[in-house]
């Protein structure tokens, strides 16, 4: 028997566990899962809410700080937050009468990995673009 090194599939970083759109056709179940997340991000209010939550110092924000930033009713803001939570983009924790929200970076990291182009060899770079 030869002493060749075996490569275990799914163990070689982001491309092994989460193929990008450019490396392999997407499976049906993965497409359904990702479509839910992209649908949640497809609304300007939800995108702004996610940005406000993600950019907050300390990593979390009270719903009482989110609501005044919009010309929408509190139930409408709560509905948008619920959709972001169902998509796995945020988590919440009730503290007394207030609810605090925080980003779930593992979800945004997965989205980034899917949308990232695979690294290309230096020979594929245009002339003068060497790094």
């Amino acid at each position: 028997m030869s002493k060749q090194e075996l490569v275990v599939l799914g163990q070689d970083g982001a491309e092994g566990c989460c193929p990008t759109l450019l490396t392999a056709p997407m499976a049906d179940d993965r497409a359904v899962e990702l479509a839910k997340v992209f649908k949640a991000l497809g609304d300007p209010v939800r995108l702004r809410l996610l940005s406000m939550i993600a950019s907050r110092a300390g990593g979390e924000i009270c719903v009482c700080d989110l609501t005044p930033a919009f010309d929408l009713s509190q139930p409408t803001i709560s509905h948008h937050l619920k959709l972001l939570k169902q998509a796995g983009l945020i988590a919440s924790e009730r503290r007394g009468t207030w609810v605090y929200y925080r980003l779930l970076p593992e979800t945004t990291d997965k989205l980034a990995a899917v949308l990232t182009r695979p690294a290309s060899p230096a020979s594929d770079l245009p002339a003068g673009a060497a790094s």
Side-chain angles (χ1 to χ4, degrees), residues 32-93:
V32 168
E33 174 188 330
L34 283 172
K36 289 177 186 176
V37 179
F38 283 118
K39 185 174 182 179
L41 292 173
D43 182 277
V45 171
R46 290 192 289 271
L47 199 52
R48 283 189 57 213
L49 283 166
L50 186 68
S51 175
M52 290 174 71
I53 294 166
S55 64
R56 183 65 170 220
E60 65 181 15
I61 188 169
C62 178
V63 70
C64 62
D65 294 324
L66 292 169
T67 306
F70 298 89
D71 190 23
L72 298 169
S73 68
Q74 182 276 324
T76 301
I77 296 296
S78 292
H79 173 72
H80 286 297
L81 290 166
K82 178 180 131 183
L83 294 175
L84 289 171
K85 189 173 176 182
Q86 288 174 339
L89 290 161
I90 60 173
S92 64
E93 179 183 341

